[in-house]
Amino acid sequence: MDETTTLYDVIEETLTEKFFLKQMKMSASEIGQVLDICGRDRLCRDILNSTRSDGRFSAKKTAAAMEPIMRSFGKAPAGGWLQNAYSFILGQLFPAKNTIDPSEDTNIARGRLFLLQFLKALHKYENLTLPFDPTVDIEFLKADEVTANEYTEEYLHLRRLADIGYLYEFMRLGTELTPFNTLGHIAGVHYVAMHLARQLSALRVPVDLALVSGAAAGHDIGKYGCRKSEEKRVPYLHYYYTDICFNRFDMPMIGHIAANHSTWDLELENLSVESLLLIYADFRVKSSRNEQGEEIVHFYSLDEAFDVILGKLDDVDEAKELRYQKVYGKLKDFERYMEEKGVTTALPADFALEPKEAPRPRRREKVLL
């Protein structure tokens, strides 16, 4: 089976999911007719030939290849199909930021849904054919793993919402339509947190893997909820919006861990191991901008991350530095605890450092939290 055929198989399987067909009010054969507008082989070849250097699919190039298909749903909405899809999911997460006209043409809604499901198919294909990338991929626990270990039902609810609500597709679109790589940071934190949590669980330390995974996967979702006028306060306000989002979708347990991941939460005397894992992982995953202005995710050791954070701060007086040292000290105690239990806190060699081997930031160099 050649590469093109394999890609089409994944597209066909994804576009004939029962839930999707019901939402589209179309049959599998009618979906096939839509795909035939571009010619199935030609569509797959065009998409495969326009992948990025890392083998990942570009939503913008995909939309260009699908243009005849999208035209079949009518005139493109203001801002284009990709922006419309991104804005729609954003409005689902945070109704206060909804910009979609409730009276929009039904065909626009159907075209948007078709595009999101198509992007989901491409992301499935990536998972099947590309190596795992901790700055792009989020590996959720499988449903049977959750039920076998009697983890919280909230996690199954989250997985379902992520699937039918196109949360991953939304975050991938965000990396192309906005200057921010929130997905990269979220994926990186999820990877570090689960790398440690699985080891603790294997060593019979009581830890709810589903709670860690859900909280890590959604800990910065509140960044999308911040308003334009609040851009300078995103580092402070995103905790609030994260809590709002999780409570809105009836996931208070995961939301509590996700929304309380500030290093200042370490000043509380009693924190669960799930909270400590998220705060610790978040501390070790930072971003900076390259010469092209792209946001690049880096993985650091705890000691390196402490230097990075101090380097980010302006006008660090003695009191502020002492406070950060106290935070660092608590995380160091937690790290020593894990290592004494037998946990390897260093990441696997492939991901121990930023994949592109970016230089370690010096003190006072601006780095994005």
Side-chain angles (χ1 to χ4, degrees):
M1 183 177 292
D2 64 32
E3 191 178 38
T4 299
T5 305
T6 303
L7 174 59
Y8 185 76
D9 288 344
V10 176
I11 292 173
E12 185 176 51
E13 179 184 358
T14 306
L15 292 182
T16 53
E17 291 177 355
K18 289 183 179 180
F19 177 82
F20 173 68
L21 292 177
K22 184 177 180 180
Q23 291 294 104
M24 290 290 291
K25 298 180 180 179
M26 296 176 71
S27 66
S29 61
E30 288 173 325
I31 292 293
Q33 291 171 14
V34 172
L35 291 171
D36 283 338
I37 292 173
C38 281
R40 306 183 187 198
D41 289 343
R42 177 184 172 186
L43 177 62
C44 290
R45 280 197 303 270
D46 288 347
I47 292 173
L48 287 169
N49 290 334
S50 62
T51 54
R52 304 181 328 208
S53 59
D54 60 358
R56 301 279 170 172
F57 293 105
S58 160
K60 290 181 179 179
K61 292 181 179 178
T62 296
M66 293 174 64
E67 198 273 334
I69 289 177
M70 299 312 299
R71 195 164 57 239
S72 73
F73 291 101
K75 183 180 178 181
W81 286 106
L82 293 179
Q83 185 61 54
N84 181 270
Y86 179 83
S87 298
F88 175 76
I89 303 300
L90 179 60
Q92 297 297 297
L93 294 172
F94 300 99
K97 297 195 73 174
N98 180 40
T99 58
I100 299 297
D101 186 345
S103 63
E104 73 174 4
D105 192 308
T106 303
N107 284 329
I108 291 180
R110 294 173 74 242
R112 173 176 63 231
L113 181 61
F114 186 91
L115 176 61
L116 286 166
Q117 190 76 0
F118 196 94
L119 292 175
K120 180 194 286 188
L122 299 189
H123 299 152
K124 284 184 178 180
Y125 182 77
E126 288 179 354
N127 290 335
L128 291 171
T129 58
L130 296 176
F132 176 80
D133 183 339
T135 68
V136 178
D137 301 313
I138 300 176
E139 195 171 61
F140 283 109
L141 299 174
K142 293 179 174 58
D144 57 355
E145 187 177 11
V146 177
T147 54
N149 289 280
E150 299 183 349
Y151 293 133
T152 172
E153 286 291 320
E154 283 187 16
Y155 189 72
L156 292 176
H157 182 43
L158 174 62
R159 289 180 73 256
R160 177 68 173 163
L161 283 175
D163 182 39
I164 66 174
Y166 302 102
L167 296 188
Y168 182 77
E169 285 63 45
F170 165 74
M171 290 192 289
R172 276 288 289 269
L173 280 172
T175 65
E176 292 193 46
L177 301 179
T178 76
F180 308 107
N181 186 12
T182 304
L183 169 62
H185 176 74
I186 287 176
V189 170
H190 185 273
Y191 171 73
V192 174
M194 292 306 293
H195 171 67
L196 302 172
R198 285 189 179 278
Q199 292 183 73
L200 286 172
S201 180
L203 293 165
R204 306 200 175 193
V205 174
V207 56
D208 189 321
L209 295 183
L211 197 53
V212 175
S213 175
H219 79 283
D220 271 359
I221 197 71
K223 288 183 176 179
Y224 296 106
C226 294
R227 296 177 173 85
K228 183 74 174 175
S229 61
E230 299 169 333
E231 282 184 349
K232 293 183 178 179
R233 301 182 64 206
V234 169
Y236 309 101
L237 293 177
H238 76 281
Y239 305 105
Y240 165 76
Y241 286 113
T242 293
D243 185 58
I244 290 292
C245 186
F246 273 101
N247 281 323
R248 180 169 177 269
F249 288 102
D250 197 23
M251 290 180 280
M253 290 178 63
I254 294 177
H256 177 75
I257 304 296
N260 294 278
H261 67 273
S262 167
T263 50
W264 307 129
D265 291 318
L266 289 168
E267 295 181 347
L268 299 174
E269 290 301 319
N270 296 308
L271 287 175
S272 67
V273 66
E274 292 85 7
S275 289
L276 287 169
L277 283 165
L278 178 55
I279 296 170
Y280 177 88
D282 191 47
F283 197 88
R284 287 183 57 180
V285 180
K286 304 295 176 211
S287 299
S288 66
R289 299 270 180 196
N290 62 16
E291 293 180 354
Q292 289 73 45
E294 300 168 324
E295 187 177 337
I296 307 299
V297 177
H298 308 268
F299 297 96
Y300 296 105
S301 70
L302 186 66
D303 294 345
E304 290 170 333
F306 181 56
D307 282 344
V308 167
I309 287 179
L310 287 183
K312 175 185 181 295
L313 300 173
D314 292 322
D315 303 320
V316 182
D317 56 25
E318 184 177 356
K320 186 177 288 187
E321 186 152 353
L322 284 174
R323 193 180 184 198
Y324 272 99
Q325 286 175 347
K326 183 178 179 181
V327 164
Y328 164 77
K330 287 199 172 187
L331 289 178
K332 195 68 177 178
D333 286 343
F334 180 55
E335 184 177 74
R336 290 194 188 102
Y337 164 79
M338 290 191 288
E339 290 173 345
E340 287 170 2
K341 285 290 184 180
V343 171
T344 301
T345 56
L347 300 179
D350 288 347
F351 308 129
L353 295 173
E354 154 62 27
K356 298 178 181 59
E357 291 295 330
R360 177 181 169 184
R362 300 184 298 276
R363 286 202 171 195
R364 312 300 177 222
E365 180 177 338
K366 283 289 184 183
V367 178
L368 303 172
L369 276 179

